[in-house]
Amino acid sequence: MPCKAIFFDMDGTLTSLNGHSVSDSTLEALRIAKEQGVKLFLATGRHHLLLLNPMVNAIPFDAHLTANGQFCYKGKEVIRRHPIPKTDIAALVRHLETARNPVMFQTEHEIFVNMEDPLIDAALELIDVPRFPIRPPETCLGQDVFELLLFGDVEVEEPVMRIMPGSKAVRWVPLFTDIIPADGGKDVGVAAVLGHYGIDPAEAMAFGDGHNDISMLRHVGLGVAMGNAAQAVKDAADHVTDSVDADGIYKALKYFGVI
């Protein structure tokens, strides 16, 4: 079955974590695929306000799936919009009255953190984004929150998730976990976008490297893990290519005859 659509995670997949660039081979592969009529989609855990990389923004994506699939759009047209339950957000705000947990809040129109913390600084350096304003957690009340970044390990994560039954955690790196709606995920965003374009999942490919990519890789006809991916991601994929720094995307698309 011909490939009609390809979904790309961003950090560690489309862009290298060493310099945050997109390789020439990847740009060439995407150019050829686009010329052949393949739809290209960015599927990232990032908020749409964090799509700051000029190389990524220069790629003519047909749609963007942000916040791990909770906010998907094509230009100014919103395809999917699915925030965290407000009851869960209210419970977290109460929890943070006594708990010293660093959190990044991502609403539709703004991003802020609740405190200064070395883990936040390390995460922002990892994904190459600027500092955000510090505001009280209750600032988010009354707004739609599409994703939270909870900084810390699993011991920090577990008590927070117990008070947020309508949400789930999807971890990309040890520094933090993404919190999204329990019925959300990149796979749900992929399904919404494919439905919008009338493309069968069997006709789609996806590339990823993190645990938050696993549902997406399993949802499409061909899920490809990068060589630098976590082992669980490789185990979930149909194919493992080379790393992002060794032309992994180009090699996989060439191997499967997409380009």
Side-chain angles (χ1 to χ4, degrees):
M1 188 174 291
C3 177
K4 294 184 178 180
I6 311 174
F7 295 83
F8 299 95
D9 169 56
M10 183 172 166
D11 300 288
T13 299
L14 193 65
T15 60
S16 170
L17 295 177
N18 300 313
H20 307 284
S21 61
V22 183
S23 69
D24 291 341
S25 72
T26 296
L27 292 173
E28 177 67 4
L30 271 58
R31 181 190 67 80
I32 296 171
K34 187 75 171 177
E35 287 181 350
Q36 294 179 350
V38 178
K39 300 291 186 185
L40 305 179
F41 303 111
L42 183 67
T44 177
R46 289 184 180 231
H47 187 282
H48 63 90
L49 295 177
L50 295 181
L51 300 183
L52 308 173
N53 189 310
M55 296 185 74
V56 173
N57 289 334
I59 297 171
F61 289 111
D62 292 280
H64 294 74
L65 294 72
T66 62
N68 280 305
Q70 307 328 295
F71 194 85
C72 308
Y73 59 93
K74 178 179 70 174
K76 294 184 178 181
E77 178 184 0
V78 176
I79 298 173
R80 172 176 160 79
R81 187 181 190 287
H82 191 56
I84 295 171
K86 284 184 168 55
T87 51
D88 279 19
I89 296 298
L92 175 64
V93 170
R94 291 192 298 270
H95 175 77
L96 293 176
E97 291 175 357
T98 54
R100 290 282 301 171
N101 297 143
V103 178
M104 179 186 291
F105 295 81
Q106 300 185 6
T107 70
E108 184 168 352
H109 302 294
E110 65 175 343
I111 302 171
F112 66 90
V113 295
N114 64 328
M115 64 175 68
E116 290 186 354
D117 191 273
L119 289 177
I120 296 178
D121 294 338
L124 297 184
E125 181 179 355
L126 175 68
I127 60 176
D128 191 33
V129 295
R131 287 177 175 267
F132 298 102
I134 299 173
R135 296 179 183 168
E138 56 267 27
T139 303
C140 72
L141 295 175
Q143 301 186 62
D144 285 336
V145 179
F146 291 91
E147 185 174 48
L148 301 160
L149 268 62
L150 174 67
F151 296 88
D153 57 19
V154 175
E155 291 185 2
V156 172
E157 175 185 321
E158 288 178 345
V160 171
M161 298 317 300
R162 282 198 295 270
I163 64 168
M164 299 181 69
S167 304
K168 66 181 177 183
V170 286
R171 187 172 288 270
W172 173 50
V173 290
L175 279 172
F176 61 86
T177 190
D178 300 338
I179 299 177
I180 60 174
D183 57 352
K186 287 192 179 184
D187 58 324
V188 187
V190 166
V193 169
L194 289 176
H196 179 83
Y197 282 94
I199 298 173
D200 191 293
E203 299 173 305
M205 291 180 67
F207 288 79
D209 72 302
H211 288 80
N212 59 333
D213 296 316
I214 289 176
S215 67
M216 174 175 71
L217 298 186
R218 288 175 170 166
H219 186 79
V220 297
L222 182 58
V224 180
M226 304 302 292
N228 50 282
Q231 188 59 48
V233 184
K234 293 179 179 179
D235 293 342
D238 301 298
H239 178 77
V240 178
T241 186
D242 273 330
S243 74
V244 62
D245 294 310
D247 304 320
I249 289 176
Y250 181 91
K251 290 175 180 176
L253 293 181
K254 195 76 172 175
Y255 178 80
F256 288 105
V258 178
I259 60 174

